[in-house]
């Protein structure tokens, strides 16, 4: 019997990409049981603009209620399917076979998580195009505990931009961590690997998703990444991420030269420097003044909730 699958989508000010996402979900050849949308700020969700789908159910939450892990856990609690597929509101399925190819990976009972390939959008700049190719190559992969020495931190790599989970394992392992600023997917992936299950990267399950972040935006994003890795030091300390970043920079330089775009190398150096500085400062956030932390972060709401006592470290 084929496993049932629900799709869970956190939204915040959804735009035209969300419309295309719903349109592509309606075209999937593998049936979707429910599409569960958890929307932050009801006033910015205008249902008359979006496709009417029988499976669609929308729950509105306040901005103060949103939590990267907790909100997704809430979506799972609203689901009763065998598999849950998380998508972000700007991850548009590339074809009609996304759910079919993801579900097929779960035929192996050892597989607990499956994440898909992210393809660059048409407006994606060349450097970001290559980062998509580097992080999401054309070859699928199965990752287990045995790969920790070979892959390092990439063993835990799994992106909730497009990632599916076996519900029974998800519940047994306690789901996503609560009150985390970033990396809820990788923290959960570490539990999956630690429990002896496998994570599949399915290159044939594709979504269109990319960003043309500025250097400053990359700084903010990687600051939050560093904060998360500091908070979950017991997971990440033995698997440093810097080596993987250096590897990607060197590979990108070679790519730009091969394309005759060597003049983009200074931009690459600047962007990479912003990423590294943000990440290193994030890992030292406990030593920084609160005002500086608030400036560095991308998720200012997280720190407001922390300072108000809504959440606790």
């Amino acid at each position: 019997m084929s496993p049932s699958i629900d799709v869970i989508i956190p939204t915040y000010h959804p735009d035209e990409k969300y419309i295309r996402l719903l349109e592509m979900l309606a075209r999937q050849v593998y049936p979707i049981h429910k599409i569960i949308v958890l929307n932050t700020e009801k006033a910015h969700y205008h249902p008359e603009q979006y496709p009417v789908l029988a499976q669609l159910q929308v729950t509105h939450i306040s901005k103060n209620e949103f939590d990267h892990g907790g909100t997704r856990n809430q979506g799972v609690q609203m689901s009763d399917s065998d598999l849950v597929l998380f998508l972000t509101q700007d991850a548009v399925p590339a074809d009609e076979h996304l759910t079919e190819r993801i579900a097929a990976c779960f035929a192996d009972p050892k597989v607990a998580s499956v994440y898909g390939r992210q393809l660059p959008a048409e407006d994606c700049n060349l450097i970001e195009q290559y980062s998509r190719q580097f992080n999401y190559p054309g070859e699928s992969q199965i990752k287990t505990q045995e790969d920790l020495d070979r892959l390092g931190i990439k063993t835990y790599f799994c992106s909730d931009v497009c990632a599916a989970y076996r519900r029974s394992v998800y519940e047994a392992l306690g789901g996503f961590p609560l009150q985390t600023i970033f990396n809820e997917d990788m923290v959960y992936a570490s539990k999956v690997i630690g429990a002896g299950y496998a994570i599949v990267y399915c290159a044939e399950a594709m979504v269109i998703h990319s960003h043309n972040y500025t250097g400053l935006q990359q700084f903010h994003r990687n600051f939050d990444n560093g904060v998360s890795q500091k908070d979950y030091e017991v997971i990440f300390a033995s698997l440093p991420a810097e080596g993987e970043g250096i590897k990607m920079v060197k590979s990108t330089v070679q790519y730009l030269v091969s394309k005759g775009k060597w003049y983009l190398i200074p931009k690459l150096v600047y962007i990479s420097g912003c990423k590294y500085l943000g990440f290193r400062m994030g890992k030292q956030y406990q030593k920084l003044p609160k005002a500086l932390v608030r400036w560095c972060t991308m998720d200012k709401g997280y720190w407001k909730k922390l300072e108000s006592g809504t959440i606790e470290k």
Side-chain angles (χ1 to χ4, degrees), residues 54 160 174 180 189 201 308:
D160 273 342
T180 181
Y201 165 59
S308 69

Side-chain angles (χ1 to χ4, degrees), residues 219 222-223 226-227 275-288 292-293 295-296:
F219 172 88
N222 281 273
F223 178 85
V227 169
K275 289 180 179 180
Y276 181 74
L277 181 60
F279 180 72
R280 294 304 302 174
M281 288 183 67
K283 293 191 78 170
Q284 300 294 320
Y285 82 93
Q286 294 165 328
K287 301 177 182 178
L288 302 178
L292 181 57
V293 169
W295 183 87
C296 290

Side-chain angles (χ1 to χ4, degrees), residues 7-141:
V7 177
I8 300 173
I9 313 169
T11 59
Y12 179 69
H13 294 198
D15 57 15
E16 69 281 353
K17 290 182 181 178
Y18 173 67
I19 296 175
R20 295 204 301 274
L21 164 58
L22 291 182
E23 290 172 343
M24 288 304 299
L25 289 180
R27 294 170 55 185
Q28 295 299 300
V29 297
Y30 191 95
I32 298 170
H33 180 226
K34 293 180 188 176
I35 301 172
I36 300 167
V37 174
L38 297 159
N39 177 65
T40 303
E41 293 197 3
K42 182 177 181 179
H44 294 276
Y45 191 94
H46 306 290
E48 69 278 1
Q49 298 178 356
Y50 310 126
V52 178
L53 304 179
Q55 311 100 309
L56 184 64
Q57 59 183 59
V58 181
T59 299
H60 300 285
I61 62 175
S62 69
K63 193 171 183 180
N64 198 51
E65 291 175 294
F66 177 80
D67 176 78
H68 286 280
T71 299
R72 288 179 168 88
N73 287 342
Q74 180 182 348
V76 176
Q77 291 169 3
M78 298 167 66
S79 163
D80 54 5
S81 63
D82 302 310
L83 310 175
V84 289
L85 168 61
F86 289 99
L87 295 170
T88 55
Q89 67 185 45
D90 57 351
V92 181
D95 57 31
E96 297 86 358
H97 302 283
L98 177 69
T99 54
E100 176 187 27
R101 289 164 180 161
I102 282 178
C105 295
F106 287 95
D108 182 347
K110 292 184 179 179
V111 172
S113 306
V114 177
Y115 67 102
R117 187 180 186 187
Q118 297 182 31
L119 302 175
E122 290 183 0
D123 64 349
C124 186
N125 66 59
L126 192 63
I127 292 174
E128 179 62 14
Q129 284 181 34
Y130 185 74
S131 75
R132 297 289 102 180
Q133 181 179 328
F134 183 88
N135 288 320
Y136 304 95
E139 302 79 33
S140 297
Q141 185 179 38

